[in-house]
Amino acid sequence: VRWFPLETQDGSWTLVHPVHGEACHSLAGAWTQARERYALPCGLAQRAREIAAEGGTVLRLLDIGTGLGLNLAAALEALESSGVALEAVTLELDSSVPRAAIELARGRAQGPWLDWHAPVLRALATALDAPGRVVPIARGTASVGNLRLVLGDARETLPALEPALEMEEFDAVFLDPFSPRVDPSLWEEPFLREVARRMAPLSRLSTYSSSFAVRLALARAGLCVGKGPRVGAKSSGTLACRGCEPPPLEPRAARRLARRAREGPAPESSGVCGLRS
Ligand SMILES: C[S@@+](CC[C@H](N)C(=O)[O-])C[C@H]1O[C@@H](n2cnc3c(N)ncnc32)[C@H](O)[C@@H]1O
């Protein structure tokens, strides 16, 4: 499989799918998207401070769609100087994507993100030889966390994840599959319910999708559903939270979502926060 490299507007590189032609990132900037769409709205820096204040030492991240590992790199950056290490489970269908990313970084994909991306790519290179195993992430001589690359269809691998390193519940989730137009698999309600089930109290999930069906599935899974930030020319995505309030949706959209979330077979929670009106 040959993924095509593409430079995005902030100078960072992404890969384009060889068959359906969708890029792994917004053309406005792959690195910008990783930071502003995932690490920032998931509140990783703040969450890390809270975890440290409670005597914890790790932030557990579920990264759905490893791709080039840029979102993982943004997570590492967000945790810098927090005293909290990253414990990531990263789910990927196709090992040729991280392999292509490693190749790309050897050549042209150089830039300020490399400080964070290089440690992730080194860990991914090790993990590709031992998928499913926990491998360390090192930045220079410092250990900054661990990652576990789980290869296969996330609809099968996530439910089959055995608890390891206390990773059965996650403090944050990056939901970054291809769009439903080219690959609807990871936007299906049963999968989103499985994801929500593994979110710890105060955990946040961020995704670029603002689709009503995706928001409804997340609300019906018991999460508070709100607006994510705008990134480049992209509309707001979605931020969904367990036991906390994300930025609210427009009142009309919130009312429609609340109405629909109450219908249908037993939603996991009624009166979901942000959906009461
Ligand atoms: C938009 S890209 C992710 C980019 C990535 N988050 C990054 O930081 O570079 C989507 C990724 O999801 C993977 N994917 C697609 N369907 C999947 C599935 N059913 N299970 C697991 N991964 C899947 C694709 O192979 C691709 O690498």
Side-chain angles (χ1 to χ4, degrees), residues 3 14 17 22-25 33-34 38 63-73 91-95 97-98 117 150 152-155 157 174 176-179 183 185-186 191 208:
W3 293 77
T14 188
H17 191 280
E22 195 166 282
C24 279
H25 296 90
Q33 182 189 32
Y38 295 100
D63 177 49
I64 303 172
T66 312
L68 293 82
L70 269 178
N71 293 354
L72 287 169
L91 309 179
E92 175 56 55
L93 178 66
D94 186 345
S95 65
V97 203
H117 199 199
V150 182
D153 187 332
R155 288 171 300 176
T157 58
F174 296 167
D176 191 17
F178 285 118
S179 74
D183 184 359
S185 56
L186 300 186
F191 178 69
Y208 63 87

Side-chain angles (χ1 to χ4, degrees), residues 2 4-5 31 119 121 129 132 134 144 164 168 185 191 213 232 246-247 255 277:
R2 195 163 158 64
F4 299 102
W31 180 232
L121 290 174
D129 291 331
V134 175
V144 288
E168 67 274 23
S185 56
F191 178 69
R255 279 196 298 274
S277 49

Side-chain angles (χ1 to χ4, degrees), residues 40-41 66 84 92 99 124 150 161 210 233 236 245 252:
L40 201 63
T66 312
V84 165
E92 175 56 55
R99 284 189 206 284
L124 285 174
V150 182
L161 267 190
S210 54
S236 323
E245 301 238 6
R252 245 184 97 198

Side-chain angles (χ1 to χ4, degrees), residues 76-89:
L76 272 190
E77 182 195 34
L79 297 187
E80 192 192 12
S81 333
S82 68
V84 165
L86 182 69
E87 287 285 352
V89 173

